[in-house]
Amino acid sequence: MNLKAFDTMDPVMLMSIVNMKIRDEFGDLDALVRFYEIDKDKLIARLAAAGFDYLPDARQFR
């Protein structure tokens, strides 16, 4: 799945995909945003607007 279009994705689906990719492929959010060449702050803001916060210690959005 290409996350470059994250700004138009359903936020619940986006959160689920991002968490899965961090867990299974990348290990942390920084590696994910580097790989997909997306703006970390915009991704966090998009998910925050839907009520999800990034928890760095847990390495996931909740």
Side-chain angles (χ1 to χ4, degrees):
M1 164 132 314
N2 186 353
L3 290 176
K4 289 191 179 200
F6 72 88
D7 55 335
T8 60
M9 294 176 72
D10 173 77
V12 175
M13 182 63 73
L14 175 61
M15 183 270 305
S16 178
I17 292 167
V18 167
N19 281 346
M20 177 192 66
K21 288 196 168 285
I22 290 171
R23 181 188 69 234
D24 296 346
E25 299 174 34
F26 295 101
D28 64 24
L29 184 59
D30 291 325
L32 180 137
V33 297
R34 272 194 309 274
F35 180 84
Y36 286 104
E37 298 177 341
I38 57 179
D39 186 296
K40 179 180 175 180
D41 293 332
K42 287 183 182 179
L43 176 62
I44 290 172
R46 170 87 167 109
L47 289 169
F52 301 111
D53 294 317
Y54 185 65
L55 306 173
D57 292 337
R59 293 185 303 222
Q60 65 180 339
F61 285 90
R62 288 192 199 158

